[in-house]
Amino acid sequence: MRGRLVGLLGSLVLLVVAGACSRSKEGAQQAGGSDAGGAQAAARVKLALNWVPEPEFGGFYAARDQGAFKQHGLEVEILGGGAGVPVLQMVATGQVEFGIVGGDELLTARARGVDLIPLFAVYQTSPQAIMAHASRGAKNIQDVLSSGTIALEPGLPYAAFLKKKYGFDKVKVVPYDGGVAQFVTNKDFAQQCFITSEPIAARKQGAEPVVFLVADEGFNPYTAVVATRRELWKTQPERVKRFVAAVREGWRAYLDNPAPANTVMAKLNTTLDAETFAAAAQAQKPLIETEETRTRGLGSMSRERWETLGRQLVELGLIEKAPVVDEFLLPEFTQAPGKTSP
Amino acid sequence: MKALRDALAPLAALVILLALWETVARVFSFNPMVLPPPSTIGLEASRSAGSLLSGALSTGRSALVGFGLSTGVGVLAAIILSSSRVLERALYPYALFLQMVPIIAIAPVLVVWFGHGARAVAVSSFIVSVFPVIANTHTGMRSVDPALRDMFRLYGARRVATLWKLELPASLPHLFTGLRVASGLSVVGAIVGEWVAGVVEGDSGLGILVLVANRQGNTALVFAAVLAASALGLLLFGAVSLTGERMLRRWHPSASGS
């Protein structure tokens, strides 16, 4: 009897281990044979994305496949994400060195005692938006919220922001399911979106959406922020700086010519076709490269923006006290090396 | 006195478990976002008592409707299945099909049919919880003592009388086993239903609260909401068990304790 129990336990352990192994193998496959035999002394690090490979992450794939990471002595494994992948926790517990999170997520985590630091903000203007059918004639988000149904992810900070600003008493709020099927079939249906993603998909399926940026309403967190934990910054600042430099070069390359990275990502994410990849890469350009990044460098972040976001999250009751910006925003990442501030 | 003694063992186990959890969480100083200690969860639960309560009411209502549907439809289906061998053979595989439906995959269809809201959530709860009622009641009706069945036939009892006076009473212990399983499942079905077909504002349930708390990195509230959902399930389970015991006490060995 006991022997059997031990056997059972043993096989359970084996199962778990096998599961873990196959998962990491999957991850490696997703990373897509990135010069494993390249620079011998390259440091291996992992970057966890918070969504499936999309133009949103184009610069990271460009950095990996066009040599920027390698030149900086890094071998980076990119882990594709999806709904419910706890990137923040993965970075916080050290399962991965770097992860992509939202600016609001990062501040919320900090307020809860998780010492994460932001390194590079892909989107200077948040691509988060609300889309509705053009046939409804809405001129702004307030109009959209005055009737029908809207799909929003429960707990989304900008949903709380819009609720506070306009109220949700005239609109039915339902959970966002990540797709556009309901939108396409229901003329009174509106939903959250990334301006670079769902509207393009909806248009492909014959819908005619209008899109309103939440940033224009006054809530504009840095989005697609590369974060790491303080521990890594303290022990290996050079490695972190090299990573950021390579990411910046990757994004430069992707903005100049998104085609090669798009081809790589299209193989990993077959739900989008080449045309959609190209359209999304084009649509997101002005959100990534702005007046400010021309002087301070791609991905740079400002104190004021982080301060505003902290204050807004407190006003929305999502955190009790705004984290002190100087405790987490390092001068190294407010400006690219070699750029002079205006 | 005996009830007190019976409650002592699980209570002691609970206290020890909580103490252990608290110690582990503190000694290894896990970040509360990863593993909050029970004390933090308790604090968070009292802070968010309002939304936990309204969430529990909403989810409880949907689960209760789903469970009610499961009881009614389940017993009816069992009666139909037991009424003839041909029907049984024709229909049972499809009843089994209900058990196999991956609810998370079919929930979007529920939205298409019923729209977002309590109705779709209750149907999700029903789909998840109906099969144990059908299967157990059916087994109960099939395992009536053949001698008694012969006696009913000998006295020329009509079909309805046989059903009402023999088969249904005889299947009660099985039925209640099915209902006990269904009670917990109905809450699970409601939570999953809310994730896809619920509403986020206004009458939102515990499932939505779990999503909100998770999105905001409030792991303590996730735990609190999950515990509240478990409590709902337990409450329903307790009510079913108690009713079952009351109804069976006088004649069935499974309830008299002998």
Side-chain angles (χ1 to χ4, degrees), chain B residues 55 78 125 134 183 201 254:
Chain B
S125 162
I134 302 179
S183 63
E201 284 294 324
S254 73

Side-chain angles (χ1 to χ4, degrees), chain A residues 112 153 163 172-173 175 182, chain B residues 116 198 200-201 215-217:
Chain A
R112 294 188 196 289
E153 185 189 341
K163 183 184 179 184
K172 184 173 178 184
V173 187
Q182 294 186 67
Chain B
H116 287 92
V200 179
E201 284 294 324
R215 178 65 175 76
Q216 294 172 353

Side-chain angles (χ1 to χ4, degrees), chain A residues 201-212:
Chain A
R203 243 171 241 130
K204 272 198 87 72
Q205 295 185 36
E208 218 183 294
V210 280
V211 186
F212 305 107

Side-chain angles (χ1 to χ4, degrees), chain A residues 34-35 39 42-43 45 47 59-78 98 226 239-240 242-250:
Chain A
S34 61
D35 327 291
V45 293
L47 167 69
F60 304 112
Y61 284 96
R64 190 194 70 186
D65 294 343
Q66 291 160 42
F69 282 138
K70 211 156 129 195
Q71 277 164 27
H72 288 273
L74 296 166
E75 189 190 324
V76 178
E77 183 183 337
I78 301 179
F98 304 98
V226 181
R239 181 176 300 185
V240 174
R242 289 203 314 259
F243 184 84
V244 173
V247 163
R248 184 168 283 122
E249 288 168 27

Side-chain angles (χ1 to χ4, degrees), chain A residues 20-76:
Chain A
C21 286
S22 69
R23 206 170 308 149
S24 62
K25 210 184 287 167
E26 249 166 55
Q29 260 164 12
Q30 254 190 353
S34 61
D35 327 291
Q40 326 71 331
R44 300 175 63 107
V45 293
K46 290 193 187 112
L47 167 69
L49 309 182
N50 58 356
W51 200 246
V52 292
E54 282 188 344
E56 185 190 349
F57 308 115
F60 304 112
Y61 284 96
R64 190 194 70 186
D65 294 343
Q66 291 160 42
F69 282 138
K70 211 156 129 195
Q71 277 164 27
H72 288 273
L74 296 166
E75 189 190 324
V76 178

Side-chain angles (χ1 to χ4, degrees), chain A:
Chain A
M1 188 62 212
R2 170 168 295 178
R4 209 144 107 208
L5 195 69
V6 169
L8 196 69
L9 274 175
S11 47
L12 253 178
V13 168
L14 266 178
L15 258 175
V16 170
V17 171
C21 286
S22 69
R23 206 170 308 149
S24 62
K25 210 184 287 167
E26 249 166 55
Q29 260 164 12
Q30 254 190 353
S34 61
D35 327 291
Q40 326 71 331
R44 300 175 63 107
V45 293
K46 290 193 187 112
L47 167 69
L49 309 182
N50 58 356
W51 200 246
V52 292
E54 282 188 344
E56 185 190 349
F57 308 115
F60 304 112
Y61 284 96
R64 190 194 70 186
D65 294 343
Q66 291 160 42
F69 282 138
K70 211 156 129 195
Q71 277 164 27
H72 288 273
L74 296 166
E75 189 190 324
V76 178
E77 183 183 337
I78 301 179
L79 305 173
V85 175
V87 174
L88 210 129
Q89 283 89 334
M90 285 159 76
V91 179
T93 54
Q95 291 171 45
V96 295
E97 283 79 7
F98 304 98
I100 308 294
V101 300
D104 49 84
E105 273 180 294
L106 187 131
L107 281 194
T108 314
R110 286 203 63 84
R112 294 188 196 289
V114 182
D115 200 357
L116 293 188
I117 52 176
L119 307 171
F120 184 98
V122 174
Y123 291 110
Q124 300 290 313
T125 303
S126 171
Q128 295 167 324
I130 302 292
M131 75 173 180
H133 287 275
S135 58
R136 282 171 68 185
K139 298 265 179 302
N140 48 41
I141 291 182
Q142 186 173 16
D143 290 350
V144 176
L145 293 177
S146 66
S147 67
T149 302
I150 186 165
L152 295 168
E153 185 189 341
L156 202 63
Y158 75 74
F161 175 83
L162 292 176
K163 183 184 179 184
K164 193 170 179 208
K165 195 165 174 187
Y166 298 120
F168 282 163
D169 4 300
K170 288 184 224 141
V171 67
K172 184 173 178 184
V173 187
V174 302
Y176 167 72
D177 66 1
V180 296
Q182 294 186 67
F183 180 84
V184 172
T185 53
N186 182 352
K187 290 283 168 216
D188 287 322
F189 197 89
Q191 69 172 78
Q192 69 176 71
C193 65
F194 258 38
I195 198 168
T196 54
S197 174
E198 287 93 339
I200 298 172
R203 243 171 241 130
K204 272 198 87 72
Q205 295 185 36
E208 218 183 294
V210 280
V211 186
F212 305 107
L213 277 177
V214 179
D216 293 338
E217 298 285 338
F219 189 75
N220 187 18
Y222 285 125
T223 308
V225 176
V226 181
T228 190
R229 59 189 207 289
R230 169 94 52 186
E231 185 82 3
L232 189 73
W233 169 249
K234 272 205 294 213
T235 52
Q236 298 174 317
E238 280 316 310
R239 181 176 300 185
V240 174
K241 277 193 226 166
R242 289 203 314 259
F243 184 84
V244 173
V247 163
R248 184 168 283 122
E249 288 168 27
W251 272 105
R252 184 69 266 157
Y254 186 74
L255 288 172
D256 292 341
N257 179 16
N262 281 350
T263 313
V264 173
M265 288 190 288
K267 285 201 193 104
L268 302 171
N269 174 9
T270 49
T271 62
L272 303 182
D273 56 22
E275 212 178 298
T276 310
F277 265 105
Q282 188 60 34
Q284 70 180 7
K285 253 181 164 173
L287 308 178
I288 296 171
E289 193 164 31
T290 62
E291 278 307 312
E292 209 179 349
T293 64
R294 282 197 188 93
T295 50
R296 300 162 74 111
L298 284 175
S300 58
M301 301 169 288
S302 80
R303 296 198 67 213
E304 298 73 40
R305 289 281 300 278
W306 281 109
E307 260 164 15
T308 307
L309 181 61
R311 203 175 50 241
Q312 285 176 321
L313 293 181
V314 172
E315 281 164 14
L316 295 172
L318 297 175
I319 54 177
E320 271 162 36
K321 207 164 110 262
V324 180
V325 174
D326 289 327
E327 279 175 14
F328 65 87
L329 183 63
L330 307 167
E332 284 86 347
F333 307 113
T334 56
Q335 189 167 318
K339 295 264 184 185
T340 45
S341 66

Side-chain angles (χ1 to χ4, degrees), chain B residues 22-32 35:
Chain B
E22 184 86 29
T23 318
V24 168
R26 287 191 184 279
V27 168
F28 295 97
S29 65
F30 277 117
N31 186 285
L35 181 71

